[in-house]
Amino acid sequence: MNIIRLLPLKGNLTLCQTRYLSCWSCGQDIKQLVENLFCSNCKSLQQPPKENYFKILGVSETYDQNENELAKKFKELQKYLHPDKFGNKPKEEQEISENYSSLVNESYNTLLNPLTRGIYMLRLSGKEIPEETEVKDQAFLMMIMEKNEEVENAETEEEIMKLNKENKELMNQLQKQVSQAFNDGDLKLVLKLLSQMKYYTSIDQQIRNLIRSKGIIR
Ligand SMILES: [Zn+2]
């Protein structure tokens, strides 16, 4: 109960340093890309940004992310990267588009979830995340155990939705604390808070399952 596994992150964190400075296809120097993706001269799709997931999605590199904004960026990029648009393009460009598209998916999924976003940012900061992180705070663990029981015993829609609301509020509070800790550069605290967030995320998943199995319409 008091050991948690932080999600192992897929993908290459050490994406290289810089984006190509000239177009791979026509060789023109690249200052600004069309839609942030294409060479302005020959319209070829360029390689994705190498730095990190934030750059790939074109959002600011901060813990505070707006879910709607992330979804908008994601949909925009996937629209441009749709395989249909590259059917008649050279093989090299098709490969770039496939790779780009899967990186966009990976970036979006990682940054959308407050837990994986935090873990990813910690890793970008060079902080090693232990495979298993122990939460030693007994009071916290007791509280989580009680919450788990409450969720298990919840019967009525009213009870379930009350627990859902409470848990969502707690998760929001935690997110604010994580954001503050990142701003303060207190990575140790970030790690502690993310370890706690893992439990709330698990409770959230249980509640979601309950809501689905009871056929509650929100
Ligand atoms: Zn070009």
Side-chain angles (χ1 to χ4, degrees):
M1 179 65 198
N2 60 346
I3 300 283
I4 64 155
R5 257 171 231 285
L6 291 166
L7 309 177
L9 281 169
K10 288 185 302 170
N12 36 351
L13 263 172
T14 44
L15 308 158
C16 343
Q17 308 307 317
T18 48
R19 206 164 185 178
Y20 293 154
L21 295 172
S22 56
C23 173
W24 62 269
S25 180
C26 74
Q28 171 166 295
D29 283 355
I30 288 170
K31 290 190 188 74
Q32 182 118 39
L33 295 170
V34 179
E35 309 294 355
N36 212 25
L37 297 165
F38 304 97
C39 169
S40 58
N41 183 42
C42 73
K43 309 288 184 280
S44 301
L45 176 67
Q46 300 300 301
Q47 295 281 359
K50 309 287 182 189
E51 295 91 339
N52 58 49
Y53 291 159
F54 296 96
K55 280 271 194 306
I56 289 169
L57 286 185
V59 297
S60 57
E61 293 178 44
T62 159
Y63 185 75
D64 293 312
Q65 295 291 334
N66 179 312
E67 284 183 17
N68 296 331
E69 185 64 20
L70 281 174
K72 206 176 123 206
K73 295 276 184 189
F74 171 71
K75 282 180 196 148
E76 250 171 43
L77 284 166
Q78 291 304 40
K79 191 182 80 192
Y80 290 121
L81 296 169
H82 197 279
D84 287 355
K85 308 217 165 176
F86 297 92
N88 300 321
K89 298 284 170 118
K91 194 158 187 301
E92 190 171 2
E93 195 170 347
Q94 287 181 11
E95 279 169 8
I96 294 174
S97 77
E98 282 163 23
N99 172 46
Y100 207 138
S101 175
S102 78
L103 268 173
V104 166
N105 276 323
E106 205 171 297
S107 305
Y108 179 62
N109 291 327
T110 304
L111 297 187
L112 183 66
N113 179 308
L115 180 62
T116 52
R117 180 166 71 240
I119 295 170
Y120 179 70
M121 284 184 66
L122 269 184
R123 291 184 68 185
L124 283 182
S125 311
K127 177 107 178 144
E128 278 302 316
I129 314 275
E131 267 284 294
E132 292 179 334
T133 303
E134 203 175 344
V135 173
K136 295 198 183 79
D137 184 341
Q138 290 303 317
F140 173 78
L141 291 170
M142 281 301 282
M143 189 271 289
I144 290 292
M145 254 159 70
E146 278 167 23
K147 272 275 166 264
N148 271 311
E149 267 174 43
E150 278 183 51
V151 173
E152 273 168 32
N153 296 329
E155 288 283 343
T156 66
E157 176 169 344
E158 199 190 348
E159 284 169 342
I160 296 166
M161 295 319 286
K162 182 166 169 278
L163 287 169
N164 187 44
K165 186 163 173 262
E166 284 170 5
N167 197 55
K168 288 265 191 290
E169 278 168 9
L170 286 168
M171 285 172 76
N172 280 339
Q173 277 173 26
L174 256 186
Q175 281 184 51
K176 284 187 189 133
Q177 288 174 278
V178 171
S179 170
Q180 187 61 50
F182 268 122
N183 285 338
D184 296 344
D186 190 345
L187 300 184
K188 227 176 132 187
L189 180 59
V190 169
L191 183 56
K192 185 179 166 217
L193 294 167
L194 290 177
S195 304
Q196 295 183 354
M197 194 185 282
K198 181 80 203 287
Y199 289 95
Y200 291 111
T201 305
S202 151
I203 290 174
D204 183 59
Q205 195 54 54
Q206 281 183 58
I207 295 175
R208 274 169 203 253
N209 292 343
L210 202 55
I211 286 172
R212 202 172 308 125
S213 69
K214 298 261 181 195
I216 296 170
I217 297 173
R218 284 182 287 178

